[in-house]
Amino acid sequence: MVWEKEKIVGSCIIGGATFAVGATFLHLFLKGELPLGLGLGARLVSFRKRRPVRVYMDGCFDMMHYGHCNALRQARALGDQLVVGVVSDEEIIANKGPPVTPLHERMVMVKAVKWVDEVISDAPYAITEDFMKRLFDEYQIDYIIHGDDPCVLPDGTDAYALAKKAGRYKQIKRTEGVSSTDIVGRMLLCVRERSNSNSHSSLQRQFSHGHNSPKFDDGGSSAGTRVSHFLPTSRRIVQFSNGKGPGPDARIIYIDGAFDLFHAGHVEILRRARELGDFLLVGIHNDQTVSARSGARHPIMNLHERSLSVLACRYVDEVIIGAPSEVSKDTITTFDISLVVHGTVAESDDFQKEEGNPYAVPISMGIFQILESPLDITTSTIIKRIVANHEAYQKRNLKKEASEKKYYEQKSFVTGD
């Protein structure tokens, strides 16, 4: 009976124009499969809305960086909604070694990425049949996403074999120039020459004062990591940018800093800052400024790497790449800043100095505010975790070296990103 009705030629009148609708066309739009290329009038007569395509991507997201964010951006582009699974601490320990950041911090980081719609905590490291069924049935997932780099389990099998067999797997391009292994390797550089007499405190001072042998400065890798060099492009910055400025009457909040090894403490203070206005502008200090304040070993991540990590945060509207260390009257006027803020937890307390206070101008203008930092985490906190357990992380990096080397030897061009 329904098919008999579909045989009838329908007509719809839109804006005074009459369209004859044939049987095949009518059959398509009744099924909700109307081609997107058809005109507005035809699309308006569709009786049923298409269900959003939901894609799933999982990961450890340890020492979360712009490479993770770019993977999530690419995954989101393959669907309408992105669901992200964050692997548990126990699963990471069993498959890769100890994580640097615990699950609750990794959850904060992933939830803050602007391309993420939902997050699943304690996801398994490997996609099992039971978990895949749960993804398809409970979370209505259409496709499972992973990068073009292999994800191999301890027994040598592919972690995504079941998704591929089910025909529900899609691949994205790996972001070159960074990995969690890379970042840990950068910090391990100055641990490699330690002697038996080195204490944890002396290792920490090496990070603060940049003690390092020249033979490691060329990117060499003697502790099982490939130290990559990120090559920034204008296209990548555009991909991460919101692409729009503040409205005419927007209350613009400004916060600045190094934002090195972008972590949960950064995310939470940015969230607090954004709640105070309509538009959050973040000033990111250049490498020279960070080095002068924190020591020659800093920053761990260069200016463009740090900028991309901050831009990926959903609470951030715009960044100043290489912002001046002092907030001047000209900066306030140029960006129409309403309020300058600073967290209570930070690497430096320069803002409390009588002389040379970088916030002297906004303080004098009555537009400076101290924000209580929700988390007591700094870049030094992350470094101390590495130093305190550096032998375990060296072993982890050595274990990763073989797969990294194999990936780069067999690597071929992948379209997209």
Short mmCIF file of all heavy atoms in Angstrom, two decimals, residues 38-92:
data_model
loop_
_atom_site.label_atom_id
_atom_site.label_comp_id
_atom_site.label_asym_id
_atom_site.label_seq_id
_atom_site.Cartn_x
_atom_site.Cartn_y
_atom_site.Cartn_z
N LEU A 38 20.53 18.16 -3.68
CA LEU A 38 19.27 18.67 -4.19
C LEU A 38 18.96 20.03 -3.58
O LEU A 38 19.47 20.40 -2.54
CB LEU A 38 18.14 17.68 -3.89
CG LEU A 38 18.27 16.35 -4.64
CD1 LEU A 38 17.20 15.39 -4.14
CD2 LEU A 38 18.13 16.55 -6.14
N GLY A 39 18.11 20.76 -4.22
CA GLY A 39 17.82 22.13 -3.81
C GLY A 39 17.11 22.25 -2.49
O GLY A 39 16.61 21.28 -1.92
N LEU A 40 17.01 23.49 -2.00
CA LEU A 40 16.40 23.77 -0.70
C LEU A 40 14.96 23.33 -0.66
O LEU A 40 14.50 22.73 0.31
CB LEU A 40 16.51 25.28 -0.41
CG LEU A 40 15.81 25.77 0.87
CD1 LEU A 40 16.43 25.10 2.07
CD2 LEU A 40 15.88 27.27 0.96
N GLY A 41 14.22 23.59 -1.74
CA GLY A 41 12.80 23.21 -1.76
C GLY A 41 12.62 21.73 -1.57
O GLY A 41 11.77 21.29 -0.80
N ALA A 42 13.45 20.92 -2.24
CA ALA A 42 13.33 19.47 -2.11
C ALA A 42 13.68 19.02 -0.71
O ALA A 42 13.04 18.12 -0.17
CB ALA A 42 14.23 18.79 -3.13
N ARG A 43 14.69 19.62 -0.09
CA ARG A 43 15.10 19.22 1.23
C ARG A 43 14.05 19.57 2.29
O ARG A 43 13.91 18.90 3.29
CB ARG A 43 16.44 19.87 1.60
CG ARG A 43 17.62 19.09 1.07
CD ARG A 43 18.95 19.71 1.45
NE ARG A 43 19.34 20.73 0.50
CZ ARG A 43 19.94 21.85 0.84
NH1 ARG A 43 20.20 22.10 2.09
NH2 ARG A 43 20.28 22.74 -0.07
N LEU A 44 13.30 20.63 2.04
CA LEU A 44 12.29 21.05 3.01
C LEU A 44 11.14 20.06 3.12
O LEU A 44 10.45 20.01 4.13
CB LEU A 44 11.74 22.43 2.62
CG LEU A 44 12.67 23.62 2.88
CD1 LEU A 44 12.06 24.88 2.31
CD2 LEU A 44 12.93 23.77 4.37
N VAL A 45 10.94 19.24 2.07
CA VAL A 45 9.81 18.32 2.11
C VAL A 45 10.19 16.97 2.73
O VAL A 45 9.39 16.06 2.77
CB VAL A 45 9.22 18.08 0.70
CG1 VAL A 45 8.66 19.36 0.15
CG2 VAL A 45 10.26 17.48 -0.24
N SER A 46 11.42 16.83 3.17
CA SER A 46 11.82 15.58 3.81
C SER A 46 11.05 15.38 5.11
O SER A 46 10.98 16.28 5.95
CB SER A 46 13.33 15.61 4.11
OG SER A 46 13.71 14.43 4.76
N PHE A 47 10.43 14.19 5.27
CA PHE A 47 9.59 13.94 6.44
C PHE A 47 10.40 13.56 7.67
O PHE A 47 9.91 13.66 8.79
CB PHE A 47 8.60 12.81 6.13
CG PHE A 47 7.52 13.20 5.18
CD1 PHE A 47 7.29 12.43 4.05
CD2 PHE A 47 6.75 14.32 5.39
CE1 PHE A 47 6.30 12.79 3.17
CE2 PHE A 47 5.77 14.67 4.52
CZ PHE A 47 5.52 13.92 3.39
N ARG A 48 11.62 13.11 7.47
CA ARG A 48 12.37 12.58 8.60
C ARG A 48 13.79 13.13 8.62
O ARG A 48 14.44 13.22 7.59
CB ARG A 48 12.43 11.05 8.52
CG ARG A 48 13.00 10.41 9.76
CD ARG A 48 12.82 8.91 9.72
NE ARG A 48 13.61 8.32 8.64
CZ ARG A 48 13.54 7.04 8.29
NH1 ARG A 48 12.69 6.25 8.90
NH2 ARG A 48 14.29 6.55 7.33
N LYS A 49 14.25 13.50 9.80
CA LYS A 49 15.59 14.06 9.94
C LYS A 49 16.62 12.94 10.03
O LYS A 49 16.39 11.92 10.66
CB LYS A 49 15.66 14.91 11.21
CG LYS A 49 16.70 16.00 11.17
CD LYS A 49 16.55 16.91 12.38
CE LYS A 49 17.54 18.04 12.31
NZ LYS A 49 17.39 18.96 13.45
N ARG A 50 17.75 13.12 9.37
CA ARG A 50 18.81 12.11 9.40
C ARG A 50 19.40 12.00 10.80
O ARG A 50 19.68 12.98 11.45
CB ARG A 50 19.91 12.51 8.41
CG ARG A 50 21.09 11.55 8.38
CD ARG A 50 22.13 12.02 7.37
NE ARG A 50 22.74 13.28 7.76
CZ ARG A 50 23.78 13.39 8.59
NH1 ARG A 50 24.32 12.31 9.12
NH2 ARG A 50 24.28 14.57 8.89
N ARG A 51 19.63 10.77 11.25
CA ARG A 51 20.26 10.56 12.55
C ARG A 51 21.71 10.99 12.48
O ARG A 51 22.40 10.69 11.51
CB ARG A 51 20.17 9.08 12.94
CG ARG A 51 20.76 8.78 14.32
CD ARG A 51 20.63 7.31 14.69
NE ARG A 51 21.56 6.46 13.97
CZ ARG A 51 22.86 6.31 14.29
NH1 ARG A 51 23.36 6.98 15.31
NH2 ARG A 51 23.63 5.51 13.59
N PRO A 52 22.20 11.72 13.50
CA PRO A 52 23.60 12.16 13.46
C PRO A 52 24.57 10.98 13.44
O PRO A 52 24.33 9.96 14.08
CB PRO A 52 23.76 12.97 14.76
CG PRO A 52 22.65 12.51 15.65
CD PRO A 52 21.51 12.15 14.74
N VAL A 53 25.63 11.12 12.67
CA VAL A 53 26.67 10.09 12.61
C VAL A 53 27.55 10.25 13.84
O VAL A 53 28.12 11.31 14.08
CB VAL A 53 27.51 10.23 11.33
CG1 VAL A 53 28.66 9.23 11.34
CG2 VAL A 53 26.65 10.03 10.10
N ARG A 54 27.65 9.18 14.63
CA ARG A 54 28.42 9.22 15.86
C ARG A 54 29.68 8.38 15.70
O ARG A 54 29.63 7.21 15.30
CB ARG A 54 27.57 8.70 17.04
CG ARG A 54 26.50 9.69 17.46
CD ARG A 54 25.48 9.07 18.39
NE ARG A 54 26.04 8.61 19.65
CZ ARG A 54 26.28 9.37 20.71
NH1 ARG A 54 26.06 10.68 20.64
NH2 ARG A 54 26.76 8.86 21.82
N VAL A 55 30.82 9.00 16.00
CA VAL A 55 32.10 8.31 15.85
C VAL A 55 32.77 8.20 17.21
O VAL A 55 32.55 9.02 18.11
CB VAL A 55 33.03 9.03 14.85
CG1 VAL A 55 32.42 9.02 13.45
CG2 VAL A 55 33.32 10.46 15.28
N TYR A 56 33.59 7.16 17.34
CA TYR A 56 34.25 6.88 18.62
C TYR A 56 35.77 6.82 18.42
O TYR A 56 36.26 6.24 17.46
CB TYR A 56 33.78 5.54 19.18
CG TYR A 56 34.53 5.07 20.40
CD1 TYR A 56 34.22 5.56 21.67
CD2 TYR A 56 35.55 4.11 20.30
CE1 TYR A 56 34.90 5.11 22.80
CE2 TYR A 56 36.24 3.66 21.42
CZ TYR A 56 35.91 4.17 22.67
OH TYR A 56 36.59 3.74 23.78
N MET A 57 36.47 7.45 19.33
CA MET A 57 37.93 7.36 19.33
C MET A 57 38.39 7.18 20.77
O MET A 57 37.87 7.84 21.68
CB MET A 57 38.56 8.62 18.74
CG MET A 57 40.06 8.52 18.57
SD MET A 57 40.73 9.93 17.66
CE MET A 57 42.36 9.27 17.26
N ASP A 58 39.34 6.28 20.98
CA ASP A 58 39.83 6.09 22.34
C ASP A 58 41.33 6.37 22.41
O ASP A 58 42.00 6.55 21.39
CB ASP A 58 39.52 4.69 22.85
CG ASP A 58 40.12 3.58 21.99
OD1 ASP A 58 40.97 3.89 21.13
OD2 ASP A 58 39.74 2.40 22.17
N GLY A 59 41.84 6.41 23.62
CA GLY A 59 43.26 6.66 23.79
C GLY A 59 43.62 6.79 25.26
O GLY A 59 42.74 6.88 26.12
N CYS A 60 44.91 6.79 25.52
CA CYS A 60 45.40 7.01 26.88
C CYS A 60 45.37 8.49 27.20
O CYS A 60 45.06 8.90 28.33
CB CYS A 60 46.82 6.47 27.02
SG CYS A 60 46.97 4.71 26.67
N PHE A 61 45.72 9.33 26.22
CA PHE A 61 45.76 10.78 26.38
C PHE A 61 46.62 11.18 27.57
O PHE A 61 46.27 12.10 28.32
CB PHE A 61 44.34 11.35 26.48
CG PHE A 61 43.48 11.00 25.30
CD1 PHE A 61 42.48 10.03 25.41
CD2 PHE A 61 43.69 11.59 24.08
CE1 PHE A 61 41.70 9.68 24.32
CE2 PHE A 61 42.92 11.25 22.97
CZ PHE A 61 41.92 10.29 23.10
N ASP A 62 47.74 10.48 27.72
CA ASP A 62 48.69 10.80 28.78
C ASP A 62 49.58 11.93 28.30
O ASP A 62 49.96 11.97 27.12
CB ASP A 62 49.52 9.55 29.10
CG ASP A 62 50.31 9.69 30.39
OD1 ASP A 62 49.94 10.52 31.23
OD2 ASP A 62 51.30 8.94 30.56
N MET A 63 49.90 12.86 29.17
CA MET A 63 50.68 14.04 28.78
C MET A 63 50.03 14.66 27.55
O MET A 63 50.66 14.89 26.52
CB MET A 63 52.12 13.65 28.46
CG MET A 63 52.87 13.00 29.60
SD MET A 63 53.46 14.22 30.79
CE MET A 63 54.66 15.09 29.81
N MET A 64 48.75 14.93 27.63
CA MET A 64 47.96 15.33 26.46
C MET A 64 48.56 16.55 25.77
O MET A 64 48.91 17.54 26.40
CB MET A 64 46.53 15.60 26.85
CG MET A 64 45.61 15.71 25.65
SD MET A 64 43.89 15.53 26.10
CE MET A 64 43.14 15.63 24.49
N HIS A 65 48.65 16.47 24.43
CA HIS A 65 49.31 17.51 23.64
C HIS A 65 48.52 17.80 22.38
O HIS A 65 47.45 17.20 22.15
CB HIS A 65 50.74 17.08 23.30
CG HIS A 65 50.82 15.69 22.74
ND1 HIS A 65 50.39 15.37 21.47
CD2 HIS A 65 51.26 14.53 23.28
CE1 HIS A 65 50.57 14.08 21.24
NE2 HIS A 65 51.10 13.54 22.33
N TYR A 66 49.03 18.71 21.56
CA TYR A 66 48.30 19.14 20.37
C TYR A 66 48.14 18.02 19.35
O TYR A 66 47.22 18.05 18.52
CB TYR A 66 49.01 20.34 19.71
CG TYR A 66 50.39 20.02 19.18
CD1 TYR A 66 50.57 19.58 17.88
CD2 TYR A 66 51.51 20.15 19.99
CE1 TYR A 66 51.83 19.28 17.39
CE2 TYR A 66 52.77 19.84 19.52
CZ TYR A 66 52.92 19.42 18.22
OH TYR A 66 54.17 19.11 17.73
N GLY A 67 49.00 17.00 19.39
CA GLY A 67 48.84 15.85 18.50
C GLY A 67 47.57 15.09 18.83
O GLY A 67 46.81 14.68 17.93
N HIS A 68 47.30 14.88 20.13
CA HIS A 68 46.05 14.28 20.54
C HIS A 68 44.86 15.13 20.07
O HIS A 68 43.87 14.60 19.55
CB HIS A 68 45.97 14.17 22.07
CG HIS A 68 46.93 13.19 22.67
ND1 HIS A 68 47.73 13.50 23.76
CD2 HIS A 68 47.22 11.91 22.36
CE1 HIS A 68 48.45 12.45 24.09
NE2 HIS A 68 48.17 11.46 23.25
N CYS A 69 44.98 16.43 20.29
CA CYS A 69 43.89 17.34 19.92
C CYS A 69 43.62 17.31 18.41
O CYS A 69 42.46 17.32 17.99
CB CYS A 69 44.22 18.77 20.37
SG CYS A 69 44.41 18.95 22.15
N ASN A 70 44.68 17.24 17.63
CA ASN A 70 44.49 17.20 16.18
C ASN A 70 43.85 15.89 15.75
O ASN A 70 43.04 15.86 14.80
CB ASN A 70 45.83 17.38 15.47
CG ASN A 70 45.66 17.64 13.99
OD1 ASN A 70 44.83 18.46 13.57
ND2 ASN A 70 46.43 16.94 13.16
N ALA A 71 44.16 14.81 16.43
CA ALA A 71 43.52 13.52 16.14
C ALA A 71 42.03 13.61 16.44
O ALA A 71 41.19 13.13 15.65
CB ALA A 71 44.17 12.42 16.96
N LEU A 72 41.67 14.22 17.56
CA LEU A 72 40.26 14.38 17.92
C LEU A 72 39.54 15.31 16.93
O LEU A 72 38.37 15.08 16.60
CB LEU A 72 40.14 14.91 19.34
CG LEU A 72 40.67 13.96 20.44
CD1 LEU A 72 40.66 14.65 21.79
CD2 LEU A 72 39.84 12.68 20.49
N ARG A 73 40.23 16.33 16.46
CA ARG A 73 39.65 17.23 15.45
C ARG A 73 39.34 16.46 14.17
O ARG A 73 38.26 16.60 13.59
CB ARG A 73 40.62 18.38 15.17
CG ARG A 73 40.10 19.38 14.13
CD ARG A 73 41.19 20.35 13.71
NE ARG A 73 42.28 19.68 13.01
CZ ARG A 73 42.23 19.31 11.72
NH1 ARG A 73 41.14 19.52 11.00
NH2 ARG A 73 43.26 18.72 11.17
N GLN A 74 40.30 15.65 13.73
CA GLN A 74 40.09 14.86 12.51
C GLN A 74 38.96 13.84 12.69
O GLN A 74 38.15 13.63 11.78
CB GLN A 74 41.37 14.12 12.14
CG GLN A 74 42.52 15.01 11.69
CD GLN A 74 43.73 14.18 11.32
OE1 GLN A 74 43.78 13.55 10.27
NE2 GLN A 74 44.71 14.14 12.21
N ALA A 75 38.92 13.21 13.85
CA ALA A 75 37.87 12.23 14.12
C ALA A 75 36.50 12.89 14.09
O ALA A 75 35.54 12.35 13.50
CB ALA A 75 38.11 11.56 15.47
N ARG A 76 36.39 14.05 14.71
CA ARG A 76 35.11 14.78 14.74
C ARG A 76 34.64 15.14 13.34
O ARG A 76 33.43 15.16 13.05
CB ARG A 76 35.27 16.05 15.60
CG ARG A 76 34.03 16.89 15.72
CD ARG A 76 32.90 16.16 16.42
NE ARG A 76 31.80 17.04 16.74
CZ ARG A 76 30.93 17.52 15.85
NH1 ARG A 76 31.04 17.18 14.59
NH2 ARG A 76 29.95 18.32 16.24
N ALA A 77 35.58 15.40 12.44
CA ALA A 77 35.23 15.77 11.06
C ALA A 77 34.63 14.60 10.29
O ALA A 77 34.00 14.80 9.24
CB ALA A 77 36.47 16.29 10.33
N LEU A 78 34.80 13.37 10.79
CA LEU A 78 34.25 12.19 10.11
C LEU A 78 32.83 11.88 10.55
O LEU A 78 32.22 10.91 10.07
CB LEU A 78 35.15 10.97 10.39
CG LEU A 78 36.56 11.02 9.81
CD1 LEU A 78 37.37 9.80 10.22
CD2 LEU A 78 36.52 11.14 8.29
N GLY A 79 32.29 12.67 11.45
CA GLY A 79 30.92 12.45 11.91
C GLY A 79 30.31 13.74 12.41
O GLY A 79 30.83 14.84 12.20
N ASP A 80 29.17 13.59 13.08
CA ASP A 80 28.46 14.75 13.65
C ASP A 80 28.70 14.88 15.14
O ASP A 80 28.62 15.97 15.70
CB ASP A 80 26.95 14.61 13.39
CG ASP A 80 26.63 14.48 11.91
OD1 ASP A 80 27.04 15.38 11.15
OD2 ASP A 80 25.99 13.49 11.52
N GLN A 81 28.98 13.75 15.79
CA GLN A 81 29.22 13.75 17.24
C GLN A 81 30.40 12.83 17.54
O GLN A 81 30.48 11.72 17.00
CB GLN A 81 27.97 13.27 17.99
CG GLN A 81 26.77 14.20 17.82
CD GLN A 81 25.49 13.61 18.39
OE1 GLN A 81 25.47 12.48 18.87
NE2 GLN A 81 24.42 14.38 18.35
N LEU A 82 31.30 13.30 18.41
CA LEU A 82 32.49 12.53 18.77
C LEU A 82 32.41 12.07 20.22
O LEU A 82 32.30 12.88 21.13
CB LEU A 82 33.76 13.37 18.57
CG LEU A 82 35.07 12.75 19.05
CD1 LEU A 82 35.36 11.44 18.32
CD2 LEU A 82 36.23 13.73 18.87
N VAL A 83 32.47 10.76 20.39
CA VAL A 83 32.52 10.15 21.72
C VAL A 83 33.95 9.64 21.94
O VAL A 83 34.49 8.94 21.09
CB VAL A 83 31.52 8.97 21.84
CG1 VAL A 83 31.58 8.36 23.23
CG2 VAL A 83 30.10 9.44 21.51
N VAL A 84 34.54 10.00 23.06
CA VAL A 84 35.95 9.65 23.33
C VAL A 84 36.05 8.74 24.55
O VAL A 84 35.50 9.04 25.61
CB VAL A 84 36.80 10.92 23.54
CG1 VAL A 84 38.25 10.54 23.83
CG2 VAL A 84 36.73 11.83 22.33
N GLY A 85 36.76 7.64 24.37
CA GLY A 85 37.03 6.73 25.49
C GLY A 85 38.41 6.99 26.06
O GLY A 85 39.39 7.05 25.32
N VAL A 86 38.49 7.17 27.37
CA VAL A 86 39.76 7.42 28.05
C VAL A 86 40.15 6.15 28.80
O VAL A 86 39.43 5.68 29.69
CB VAL A 86 39.67 8.61 29.02
CG1 VAL A 86 41.03 8.89 29.65
CG2 VAL A 86 39.17 9.86 28.28
N VAL A 87 41.29 5.58 28.43
CA VAL A 87 41.74 4.30 28.98
C VAL A 87 42.10 4.44 30.47
O VAL A 87 42.68 5.45 30.89
CB VAL A 87 42.95 3.77 28.18
CG1 VAL A 87 43.49 2.47 28.77
CG2 VAL A 87 42.56 3.58 26.71
N SER A 88 41.77 3.44 31.24
CA SER A 88 42.02 3.46 32.69
C SER A 88 43.51 3.38 33.00
O SER A 88 44.31 2.93 32.18
CB SER A 88 41.30 2.29 33.36
OG SER A 88 41.91 1.07 32.99
N ASP A 89 43.87 3.80 34.21
CA ASP A 89 45.26 3.72 34.66
C ASP A 89 45.76 2.27 34.63
O ASP A 89 46.88 1.98 34.21
CB ASP A 89 45.39 4.27 36.09
CG ASP A 89 45.14 5.77 36.17
OD1 ASP A 89 45.21 6.44 35.12
OD2 ASP A 89 44.89 6.26 37.28
N GLU A 90 44.90 1.34 35.10
CA GLU A 90 45.28 -0.06 35.18
C GLU A 90 45.59 -0.64 33.79
O GLU A 90 46.55 -1.40 33.62
CB GLU A 90 44.16 -0.87 35.85
CG GLU A 90 43.92 -0.54 37.31
CD GLU A 90 43.20 0.79 37.53
OE1 GLU A 90 42.54 1.27 36.57
OE2 GLU A 90 43.30 1.34 38.63
N GLU A 91 44.78 -0.29 32.81
CA GLU A 91 44.98 -0.79 31.45
C GLU A 91 46.26 -0.23 30.84
O GLU A 91 46.97 -0.91 30.10
CB GLU A 91 43.78 -0.42 30.57
CG GLU A 91 42.53 -1.23 30.86
CD GLU A 91 42.48 -2.51 30.06
OE1 GLU A 91 42.16 -2.47 28.88
OE2 GLU A 91 42.79 -3.57 30.65
N ILE A 92 46.57 1.04 31.15
CA ILE A 92 47.80 1.66 30.63
C ILE A 92 49.02 0.97 31.24
O ILE A 92 49.99 0.64 30.53
CB ILE A 92 47.84 3.17 30.93
CG1 ILE A 92 46.71 3.89 30.20
CG2 ILE A 92 49.18 3.77 30.51
CD1 ILE A 92 46.60 5.37 30.52
#
